[in-house]
Amino acid sequence: MTCEVVVMNKRGIALAADSAVTLSDGDGNASKVYYTAEKLFCLSPDLPVAIMTYGPADIMGVPWETVVKVYAQKLGGRRFDTLAEYAQDFLAFIEGADWLFPGETQTRWLQSLVYGFWKECYVDELERMLAEEEKTTPKGKLKKLAAIIAADHEDWERYPDLACVSSGYGQRVREIFAEALDEAEHDLLEELALTPALQEALRKTVEFAYQKEWFHPRDRSHVVIAGMGEAEPFPILLEYEVGTLAAGTLRYRKADETRVGEDSDGTVAPFGQREIIDSVIQGIHPRIYGQLMRAAARMPQDLEDYDDEDEPEEIEERAEAFSQLAHEEVLRPYAKPLLSAVSALPRQDLAKMAESLVNLTAFFMRMSVDEEQTVSEPVDVALLSKGDGFIWVKHKDVRGLAYDRSIGA
């Protein structure tokens, strides 16, 4: 995991990222935490644009560090009027980098993802259902499997289509990777002797998975792009969810956008393990806040009518309504003085604040006795501004070597 934060006002942007990265064997059987990861990247010292990543340390087996640094070389002296154009150019670079993500790699990753999804959502659920019964005929097994898939497809229908792909993309993926899907089905479900209808249903799942706005947790990365285009006077922050490539197309969606300007003079945006930073800004830990909202939702106006057996949907609706009210009446007013101070900070203090927030998260993680320390120093810190471009404030190992423009700690 990771902790990253962006603090920005009209004077500039400060970014800070910790150095912890968790690497596993891919099957969840073993993992190890290292404390030297690069997550904050410079595209050019003269360019007020930076990229941060969190989530998986790589995309389809290629480290994000490699992807971003190769893109920085390809970018060269090119400049764009808007930050959104930098983001689209970066995503287009990934999509077109077939030497980094060749067809064989795309096939292997798709087959692994589909196999894993079919197993986790269908086969494991079927085995759980069968374990509760003494005996089931082969025909009965197929009937149960069909019901599981049908219920899953109902859920898929509620997802919107992914904006970055064409309307027939899911069908195209299914056709191009037909052989890989056949192999996955053979390896996982051969003993069930699937009917043509069930085979079709499984492949319909693949269409949904690649057409809909959904990313497998194992393959979902987050990319944060902050800075200013040539025609933009004030800072902008863009966050993307990025999946994997299949059939030469990269699946992604824009998750959020924050601008400093008329509506906001300053903001603090945490990413990854953000609970501690949210606690500082809002005055209450998000987990405690959620528990209070659910407890309040269970409590009627008349305590004599209290019923702990209320319908979960009704409780959830009341919790959501109460949460919105508390956010408007309590949390937002609490955060307003801090954000007002952020809007007036000099650039150097933006950097100090960003670093302190990540260090505070690392401290709490180090003191926790029930969690692995997945946020840790050293903290990389950078400043972006219109006049000075990208400046490293702190950069592990290469501080003072990579750029002689460092402004020190």
Side-chain angles (χ1 to χ4, degrees), residues 204-257:
K204 186 63 178 178
T205 299
V206 177
E207 286 188 43
F208 282 132
Y210 281 85
Q211 190 71 53
K212 298 293 186 176
E213 196 174 274
W214 173 87
F215 302 90
H216 194 287
R218 189 190 67 188
D219 295 327
R220 180 180 60 203
S221 298
H222 296 264
V223 175
V224 177
I225 303 177
M228 294 153 278
E230 297 295 300
E232 293 169 328
F234 301 126
I236 298 171
L237 176 65
L238 302 173
E239 181 187 3
Y240 291 86
E241 283 184 314
V242 180
T244 51
L245 287 95
T249 298
L250 177 68
R251 299 177 68 255
Y252 65 88
R253 78 173 188 94
K254 185 167 75 171
D256 200 7
E257 176 177 343

Side-chain angles (χ1 to χ4, degrees), residues 120-191:
E120 294 164 13
C121 296
Y122 299 158
V123 176
D124 290 352
E125 177 63 14
L126 177 63
E127 291 178 350
R128 185 192 65 78
M129 294 174 66
L130 295 177
E132 297 175 354
E133 301 181 6
E134 292 185 2
K135 187 176 181 180
T136 305
T137 65
K139 187 176 180 179
K141 293 180 181 179
L142 295 181
K143 187 176 180 180
K144 291 180 183 298
L145 179 60
I148 293 170
I149 297 176
D152 182 53
H153 285 185
E154 289 183 8
D155 290 337
W156 278 115
E157 293 287 0
R158 290 194 279 267
Y159 283 80
D161 285 352
L162 199 59
C164 70
V165 301
S166 62
S167 58
Y169 175 65
Q171 175 68 26
R172 185 160 64 91
V173 167
R174 168 183 171 170
E175 294 171 355
I176 291 175
F177 297 98
E179 184 177 344
L181 297 179
D182 290 343
E183 291 178 2
E185 179 196 312
H186 178 273
D187 293 343
L188 183 63
L189 296 159
E190 180 186 16
E191 64 180 28

Side-chain angles (χ1 to χ4, degrees), residues 192-357:
L192 288 179
L194 300 181
T195 64
L198 274 172
Q199 292 176 323
E200 170 63 24
L202 288 172
R203 283 148 185 78
K204 186 63 178 178
T205 299
V206 177
E207 286 188 43
F208 282 132
Y210 281 85
Q211 190 71 53
K212 298 293 186 176
E213 196 174 274
W214 173 87
F215 302 90
H216 194 287
R218 189 190 67 188
D219 295 327
R220 180 180 60 203
S221 298
H222 296 264
V223 175
V224 177
I225 303 177
M228 294 153 278
E230 297 295 300
E232 293 169 328
F234 301 126
I236 298 171
L237 176 65
L238 302 173
E239 181 187 3
Y240 291 86
E241 283 184 314
V242 180
T244 51
L245 287 95
T249 298
L250 177 68
R251 299 177 68 255
Y252 65 88
R253 78 173 188 94
K254 185 167 75 171
D256 200 7
E257 176 177 343
T258 305
R259 292 175 175 266
V260 169
E262 295 182 1
D263 298 331
S264 175
D265 292 332
T267 191
V268 178
F271 303 97
Q273 293 183 251
R274 54 179 294 165
E275 292 82 2
I276 301 303
I277 299 177
D278 284 336
S279 300
V280 173
I281 298 172
Q282 299 179 350
I284 185 171
H285 194 285
R287 186 166 60 247
I288 298 175
Y289 176 73
Q291 291 171 345
L292 286 174
M293 294 304 102
R294 287 188 291 273
R298 289 179 175 273
M299 189 173 296
Q301 292 181 348
D302 188 348
L303 292 181
E304 293 182 358
D305 297 331
Y306 179 78
D307 183 4
D308 195 43
E309 300 300 325
D310 285 350
E311 291 294 328
E313 295 81 4
E314 182 181 348
I315 293 173
E316 196 63 34
E317 289 177 5
R318 292 204 299 260
E320 179 65 24
F322 191 59
S323 178
Q324 292 178 359
L325 178 64
H327 187 270
E328 294 296 326
E329 300 295 332
V330 180
L331 301 186
R332 182 172 291 180
Y334 180 90
K336 189 174 181 180
L338 175 64
L339 297 180
S340 296
V342 169
S343 66
L345 288 177
R347 286 183 299 150
Q348 290 81 354
D349 288 329
L350 291 177
K352 290 179 181 178
M353 181 177 183
E355 180 184 6
S356 297
L357 289 173

